[in-house]
Amino acid sequence: MFSIEFFPPKTEAGFEKLQTTINSLNIMNPQYYSVTYGAGGSTQEGTHRTIQILQNSKLDAAPHLSCVGSSKQELIDLILKYKAQGIRRLVALRGDLPSGMGRFGECRYASDLVSLIREISGDWFHIEVAAYPEMHPQASSPQSDLQNFIYKIKSGANSAITQYFYNADSYFRFIDELHKNGIDIPITAGIMPINNYTQLARFSDACGAEIPRWMRLRLQHYYDDIESMRKFASEVVASLCQKLIDNEAAGIHFYTLNQPEPTLNVYKYLDIKPKNIYNNGGISAFV
Ligand code: FAD
C-alpha cells in the first residue's frame, strides 16, 4: 500500500535523525523503504549505510541504482553485493549526470540496466522502474516516452513508481494508455508532500513536474505564514492521495526528503479501508 523514500544523509547528525524518522514513519506500516543513489556512484557509501540501517531494523529495504556514469562491471559488482546481502527489490534508474560529468557509461538507459540485472541475477530481484505520467522532461514526445517506458517494462521490470504529480488525471490517463498497450503492471503513484514551497518549485522545474496554477498561487500567498501553508498543502496532497486510493491506485510512494512530518500530516487525513489488502508478487494494492 505505502512505500517510503529516503536519500542517504550527508552528515552523522542526519544518520542519527534517520532512525527517529524511520520509527515515526513505521506507524504507516510501509511495504518497503527505498533509498536514492547518486548517478556515477556519488552516494554509494551513504546509500549502502542507509540500507544497512533499514535491514538492521528488519525492514524491507530497496536501494535505487542508477546506471549513467558507471561501468558495467561497477554495476554488476553492486547488484551481486545487494543479492548477497539479501536485498530482494531494486529501483533501477538511468540517473542524471551532474553537469560537467560527460561519461554516460555502458548502460545508457534504465532499460539497459534492467536487462543487465536480469542477465546476472535472473528473477532474484523485484525490479521497480520510474514512470512519468506528465512525460520525462528530455523525451521528444509523450508518445515516444510511453513507448520507451513500455520497452523498459518488457526488458524485465516488475512494476513502476511515478514521478510526483499533483493532477490525478495525468496518472489515470497514463494507466489507461498502458492498458491500451497491453501493459498491466502495478504503477505506484509517487507523492511529494509539501514542506517548503521554494524548494518544491525548484525541484519541479528541474524534473518537469507540474504544480497546478491554483496551488502555486495559494502556496505563494502563504509565503510568510508557514503554518497555514503546510496545513493547506497537507489537505491538498491528502485529497490527491484519497482520490488515488478510492480509484484503486496500485500504491502510494512518499518522497519524504527524510522529513517525517509532511508525510505523517498527509497520512492522518486519509480514510484508509484496509479491507482485503492482497499481495500480488510483493505489491500490495488498495481494493
Ligand atoms: P530512462 O527510462 O532511461 O529514460 C530517460 C529518458 O530517455 C526519457 O526521456 C526516455 O523517453 C528516453 N529513453 C529511454 N529509452 C530510450 C531509448 N532506447 N532510446 C531513446 N530514448 C530513450 N535519479 C537518481 O540519480 N537517483 C535516484 O535514486 C533516483 N530515484 C528516482 C526514483 C523515482 C521513482 C523517479 C521517478 C526518479 C528517480 N530519479 C533518480 C530521477 C531519474 O534518474 C531521472 O528522472 C532521469 O532523468 C531518468 O531516469 P529513468 O530511469 O526514468 O530513465
Side-chain angles (χ1 to χ4, degrees):
M1 180 177 259
F2 296 117
S3 50
I4 298 286
E5 182 172 310
F6 293 136
F7 61 80
K10 293 184 184 68
T11 60
E12 281 308 312
F15 273 106
E16 273 165 36
K17 188 180 163 230
L18 188 70
Q19 191 60 61
T20 320
T21 301
I22 295 169
N23 294 344
S24 45
L25 288 167
N26 269 341
I27 193 180
M28 296 170 63
N29 196 17
Q31 189 188 13
Y32 65 90
Y33 288 86
S34 81
V35 184
T36 63
Y37 182 82
S42 53
T43 66
Q44 187 164 329
E45 239 181 80
T47 301
H48 194 243
R49 184 171 164 192
T50 309
I51 289 292
Q52 278 184 324
I53 290 172
L54 290 162
Q55 284 194 303
N56 291 345
S57 301
K58 310 260 176 290
L59 296 167
D60 275 340
H64 294 207
L65 183 52
S66 55
C67 58
V68 278
S70 294
S71 71
K72 204 167 170 178
Q73 195 54 53
E74 283 165 341
L75 295 169
I76 291 173
D77 291 347
L78 207 45
I79 295 162
L80 293 178
K81 180 168 152 182
Y82 284 136
K83 185 174 177 202
Q85 217 175 306
I87 295 291
R88 297 306 300 260
R89 184 187 302 262
L90 290 176
V91 184
L93 303 142
R94 184 196 72 177
D96 290 312
L97 280 177
S99 55
M101 193 175 157
R103 197 170 61 103
F104 276 116
E106 291 157 277
C107 289
R108 174 84 194 253
Y109 297 110
S111 54
D112 300 322
L113 178 59
V114 171
S115 301
L116 179 66
I117 296 170
R118 287 287 175 240
E119 188 186 316
I120 66 158
S121 59
D123 286 338
W124 176 264
F125 293 107
H126 180 107
I127 304 180
E128 303 273 359
V129 288
Y132 301 86
E134 296 178 345
M135 195 183 96
H136 184 263
Q138 291 158 7
S140 51
S141 69
Q143 289 77 6
S144 68
D145 203 32
L146 185 74
Q147 290 313 316
N148 290 332
F149 177 74
I150 290 171
Y151 181 68
K152 186 159 64 172
I153 300 305
K154 291 189 170 163
S155 300
N158 300 94
S159 51
I161 306 166
T162 73
Q163 182 57 277
Y164 67 86
F165 57 86
Y166 295 104
N167 178 353
D169 287 345
S170 66
Y171 170 85
F172 291 116
R173 175 158 281 274
F174 184 69
I175 302 284
D176 281 349
E177 284 172 346
L178 289 174
H179 287 171
K180 279 183 201 144
N181 281 275
I183 302 291
D184 193 19
I185 57 154
I187 309 285
T188 293
I191 295 293
M192 178 77 88
I194 303 169
N195 198 38
N196 175 326
Y197 172 68
T198 314
Q199 187 189 41
L200 178 75
R202 203 180 57 235
F203 277 173
S204 303
D205 284 348
C207 71
E210 188 199 23
I211 310 172
R213 185 170 178 272
W214 66 272
M215 270 182 71
R216 254 190 301 127
L217 292 175
R218 293 287 294 272
L219 290 165
Q220 281 165 349
H221 169 77
Y222 288 126
Y223 185 70
D224 42 9
D225 179 2
I226 301 286
E227 194 111 317
S228 302
M229 187 282 280
R230 288 184 179 155
K231 183 165 184 300
F232 165 75
S234 303
E235 286 169 5
V236 168
V237 175
S239 134
L240 169 65
C241 292
Q242 195 65 53
K243 194 166 184 182
L244 292 163
I245 292 169
D246 293 345
N247 287 281
E248 302 183 9
I252 293 185
H253 181 82
F254 284 104
Y255 296 106
T256 66
L257 302 181
N258 295 12
Q259 305 285 335
E261 295 84 8
T263 295
L264 291 170
N265 285 341
V266 170
Y267 177 69
K268 77 176 180 206
Y269 281 112
L270 298 182
D271 174 23
I272 303 155
K273 301 174 195 73
K275 53 171 182 172
N276 205 10
I277 292 171
Y278 66 89
N279 205 289
N280 172 14
I283 299 293
S284 308
F286 306 105
V287 284

